């Protein structure tokens, strides 16, 4: 236990209820990461096979009513529609963390928020430095390497080590959720064109109606789902990327039970109820389908791969994901220790932070989305973006594997200590001995 003299701990264990909930979320995200990997490989194989025309034709098939400006290709439906579900879950998760989770304590929230900000600034700066002389709009892709894909990162963790301490897993998940929120702010602010006020105002009305219903703890899907879909469609029509609607709808949902329903101690609130319903749809369907339609880049053999990797845009993405993420997250975490009285937990070392920062360089879902917004889906530069994102994520995964595997014996020992339950009451002993983490 930290003494007042030593100050709070960086990567403290946290409380048992929160650790148990995080473990449940991570299991679902790990399964989603496996599906994401399968969808990506399938898309790459099909797009580079003799039947690549079938993949392109499927991705570019137009579906939807023209009168409502929703005659979108399947690829656009995946990016604009399915990813709204992903961001809805991210909004629910982030709000729950800051309202009812361990991060409601500002001291605990400071580390992942600061690390996430550092992990977005440094990759953007590196991308700009690499592409400062490229010209022809190359700097529009500055935000591509700023995102972390939690599902892919956890899938890598499942392969290289199942014993990573709870505190590190929780930090990675929280950092990625904050990362997603910052990414959606970037999309809303920097990738909105031709803003239409009438649809935006109508979207505010339907969002307001949705908010009133959920704040009154209404769970009727036949009321909420139409309002959510209409809000999404109106945000899409306004010129703002439709995924922004997902986050706003997630933020509208209350986290804590009302007093009429028994209050906070009576069980999970509406946000957690929705999260349990929609996370499997997000991780098991929405994100893998988006990956399938977005990752299918026709490399064009070794020569085509070489051309793509010589593009400064691809090089900037790789450098941003691998170097920028590592530098930003590690430096921000070290600064938290250096300039506050917070100390690194005694069971961990800075090599663990370094390995985790490398792992956060696995960017995929949001990086591909921003690439499409920056350069246009299907353009040559967008193809090179996909190569850069895939190559950078693979390199970050390999380097993180090397670093974290060196510490696997220590992680196994910590995992055994965190799992020990000698009195058989269902709560690991470490949480009873140190309830504050």
């Amino acid at each position: 236990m930290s003494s007042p003299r030593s100050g709070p701990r960086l990567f403290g264990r946290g409380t048992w209820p929160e650790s148990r909930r995080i473990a449940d979320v991570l299991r679902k995200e790990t399964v989603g990461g496996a599906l994401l990997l399968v969808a990506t490989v399938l898309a790459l194989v099909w797009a580079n096979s003799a039947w690549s025309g079938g993949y392109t034709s499927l991705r570019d098939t137009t579906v939807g009513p023209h009168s409502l400006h929703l005659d979108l290709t399947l690829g656009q439906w995946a990016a604009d529609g399915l990813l709204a579900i992903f961001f809805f879950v991210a909004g629910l998760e982030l709000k729950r963390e800051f309202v009812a989770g361990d991060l409601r304590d500002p001291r605990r929230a400071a580390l992942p928020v600061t690390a996430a900000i550092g992990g977005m600034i440094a990759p953007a700066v590196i991308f700009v430095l690499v592409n400062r002389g490229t010209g022809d709009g190359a700097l529009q892709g500055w935000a591509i390497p700023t995102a972390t894909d939690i599902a892919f990162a956890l899938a890598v963790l499942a392969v290289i080590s199942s014993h990573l301490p709870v505190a590190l897993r929780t930090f990675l998940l929280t950092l990625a959720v904050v990362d997603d929120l910052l990414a959606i702010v970037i999309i809303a602010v920097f990738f909105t064109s031709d803003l239409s006020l009438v649809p935006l105002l109508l979207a505010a009305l339907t969002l307001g109606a949705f908010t009133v219903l959920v704040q009154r703890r209404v769970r009727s899907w036949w009321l909420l789902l139409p309002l959510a879909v209409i809000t999404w469609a109106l945000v899409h029509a306004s010129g703002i990327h439709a995924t922004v609607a997902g986050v706003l709808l997630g933020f509208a949902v209350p986290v804590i039970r009302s007093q009429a329903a028994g209050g906070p101690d009576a069980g999970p609130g509406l946000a957690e109820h929705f999260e349990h319903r929609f996370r499997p749809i997000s991780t098991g369907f929405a994100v893998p389908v988006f990956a399938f339609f977005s990752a299918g880049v026709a490399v064009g053999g070794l020569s085509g791969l070489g051309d793509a990797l010589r593009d400064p845009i691809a090089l900037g993405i790789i450098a941003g994901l691998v170097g920028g993420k590592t530098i930003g997250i590690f430096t921000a975490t070290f600064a938290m220790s250096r300039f506050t009285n917070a100390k690194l937990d005694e069971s961990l070392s800075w090599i663990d932070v370094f390995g985790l920062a490398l792992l956060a360089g696995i960017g995929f879902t949001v990086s591909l989305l921003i690439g499409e917004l920056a350069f246009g889906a299907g353009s040559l530069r967008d193809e090179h973006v996909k190569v850069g994102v895939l190559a950078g994520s693979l390199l970050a995964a390999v380097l993180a594997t090397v670093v974290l595997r060196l510490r696997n014996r220590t992680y196994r020992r910590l995992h055994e200590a965190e799992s020990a339950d000698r009195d058989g009451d269902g709560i690991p002993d470490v949480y009873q001995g140190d309830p504050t983490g």
Side-chain angles (χ1 to χ4, degrees):
M1 180 178 293
S2 301
S3 66
R5 184 178 180 181
S6 64
R9 290 178 296 178
L10 297 178
F11 301 102
R13 188 175 296 111
T15 61
W16 168 239
E18 187 68 3
S19 297
R20 184 174 53 185
R21 192 188 70 82
I22 290 293
D24 181 59
V25 170
L26 294 179
R27 279 193 295 270
K28 294 174 182 176
E29 291 287 354
T30 301
V31 173
L35 295 174
L36 189 61
L37 181 60
V38 170
T40 301
V41 172
L42 181 60
L44 286 170
V45 170
W46 193 357
N48 289 278
S49 71
W51 304 276
S52 59
Y55 173 83
T56 304
S57 177
L58 177 64
R59 183 192 63 196
D60 296 339
T61 298
T62 300
V63 178
H66 175 73
S67 60
L68 298 177
H69 304 288
L70 292 176
D71 48 338
L72 309 176
T73 66
L74 292 179
Q76 290 173 323
W77 274 110
D80 293 4
L82 292 180
L83 279 193
I85 300 174
F86 166 79
F87 280 111
F88 174 69
V89 174
L92 292 172
E93 172 68 20
L94 189 66
K95 184 175 181 181
R96 196 217 169 279
E97 283 291 336
F98 282 94
V99 172
D102 283 355
L103 297 189
R104 66 185 183 277
D105 180 353
R107 293 173 300 177
R108 283 191 176 276
L111 176 59
V113 170
T114 303
I117 293 172
M120 297 192 82
I121 292 176
V125 169
I126 288 178
F127 181 91
V128 169
L129 290 176
V130 173
N131 286 276
R132 65 188 185 280
T134 303
D136 196 23
L139 293 182
Q140 294 176 9
W142 64 270
I144 296 172
T146 61
T148 294
D149 194 297
I150 185 61
F152 254 149
L154 291 174
V156 172
L157 270 183
V159 173
I160 65 177
S161 173
S162 60
H163 306 290
L164 200 69
V166 171
L168 294 181
R169 290 176 179 266
T170 302
F171 171 76
L172 181 63
L173 175 63
T174 309
L175 180 145
V177 172
V178 175
D179 188 295
D180 289 337
L181 175 65
L182 296 176
I184 206 68
V185 171
I186 289 173
I187 290 171
V189 173
F190 295 98
F191 295 98
T192 295
S193 59
D194 301 323
L195 184 64
S196 299
L197 290 179
V198 173
L200 187 60
L201 291 174
L202 292 175
L205 291 177
T206 56
L207 176 62
F210 179 90
T211 302
V212 169
L213 289 174
V214 293
Q215 288 296 326
R216 291 173 178 265
R217 275 60 178 182
V218 173
R219 300 190 181 192
S220 303
W221 67 268
W222 52 272
L223 279 175
L224 298 178
L225 188 58
L227 282 172
V229 171
I230 293 171
T231 301
W232 170 86
L234 288 169
V235 170
H236 181 273
S238 73
I240 299 175
H241 198 268
T243 51
V244 175
V247 171
L248 295 177
L249 290 165
F251 282 168
V253 180
V255 171
I256 300 174
R257 278 177 174 258
S258 65
Q259 292 300 322
D265 298 328
L270 196 56
E272 194 167 345
H273 171 76
F274 281 174
E275 186 184 336
H276 287 160
R277 291 289 183 90
F278 284 94
R279 187 178 292 279
I281 299 174
S282 174
T283 59
F285 178 74
V287 175
V289 170
F290 168 78
F292 174 76
F293 283 118
S294 294
V297 53
V299 176
L302 291 177
S303 61
L305 180 62
D307 290 340
L309 291 177
R310 283 192 291 270
D311 187 339
I313 290 176
L315 292 175
I317 292 170
I318 295 170
L321 287 174
V322 179
K325 277 289 184 183
T326 306
I327 293 170
I329 293 172
F330 186 89
T331 302
T333 306
F334 184 79
M336 284 288 293
S337 174
R338 177 67 177 82
F339 297 109
T340 69
N341 63 346
K343 304 298 181 184
L344 191 67
D345 191 272
E346 61 270 12
S347 63
L348 302 173
S349 71
W350 286 106
I351 190 65
D352 302 315
V353 181
F354 182 73
L356 209 65
L358 277 171
L359 192 65
I362 300 176
F364 190 76
T365 305
V366 180
S367 293
L368 292 178
L369 173 62
I370 294 176
E372 291 182 2
L373 295 175
F375 300 117
S379 66
L380 179 61
R381 277 189 164 171
D382 185 45
E383 299 294 296
H384 289 179
V385 164
K386 293 176 182 178
V387 172
V389 170
L390 290 169
S393 298
L394 179 61
L395 181 57
V398 170
L399 293 175
T401 298
V402 172
V403 173
L404 294 176
R405 287 292 295 180
L406 293 174
R407 295 275 292 167
N408 204 38
R409 182 176 299 178
T410 300
Y411 298 153
R412 187 184 298 273
R413 175 176 53 79
L414 292 174
H415 177 74
E416 291 174 354
E418 291 176 342
S419 304
D421 181 18
R422 296 179 182 85
D423 55 10
D425 63 352
I427 302 176
D429 300 331
V430 291
Y431 293 98
Q432 295 172 311
D434 185 10
T436 63

